[in-house]
Amino acid sequence: EQKHLSYYFETVIKKDPERIFYFTGSADKSTGTQEINERLAKERVEKTMKLLVDKYGISEDRLKLKDVLIIDSFEDPQLDRSVLIEH
């Protein structure tokens, strides 16, 4: 997934140094408890944001946690484990 994040950085984030980005983390409903899934979704977002700060030098002020969702959108629960970035 780091390739996707790197591509997003190069094609979107880097081109607009003033833009704020909003992150939504998700986890699947199919496995684990609500509490565990909320924690995992939040950790997923935090790790993604930290990578953008540490590896790409993005200011923390430009990265905002929007939401944490527990979803059941796909047949394969692994596909519900993601981070959505909006701008």
Side-chain angles (χ1 to χ4, degrees):
E1 292 304 315
Q2 286 190 28
K3 282 185 181 182
H4 291 114
L5 189 61
S6 185
Y7 177 79
Y8 189 76
F9 169 76
E10 290 294 330
T11 59
V12 178
I13 297 174
K14 188 176 176 181
K15 293 186 184 232
D16 191 352
E18 301 301 317
R19 184 172 285 183
I20 304 292
F21 295 88
Y22 301 90
F23 294 75
T24 299
S26 66
D28 65 279
K29 275 186 182 175
S30 304
T31 59
T33 65
Q34 178 79 16
E35 182 180 312
I36 288 171
N37 285 332
E38 286 175 5
R39 180 179 50 82
L40 290 172
K42 187 172 182 197
E43 286 176 2
R44 197 168 280 126
V45 168
E46 290 170 344
K47 287 179 184 179
T48 302
M49 291 168 64
K50 183 172 176 14
L51 184 61
L52 285 168
V53 170
D54 293 349
K55 184 174 181 177
Y56 299 101
I58 303 301
S59 169
E60 289 181 19
D61 295 339
R62 296 178 61 203
L63 310 176
K64 308 290 182 193
L65 174 62
K66 178 180 177 183
D67 207 354
V68 173
L69 303 173
I70 310 305
I71 59 175
D72 190 18
S73 300
F74 298 97
E75 191 173 313
D76 182 351
Q78 291 184 37
L79 297 176
D80 289 321
R81 302 169 191 159
S82 64
V83 173
L84 174 68
I85 306 171
E86 299 173 88
H87 56 275

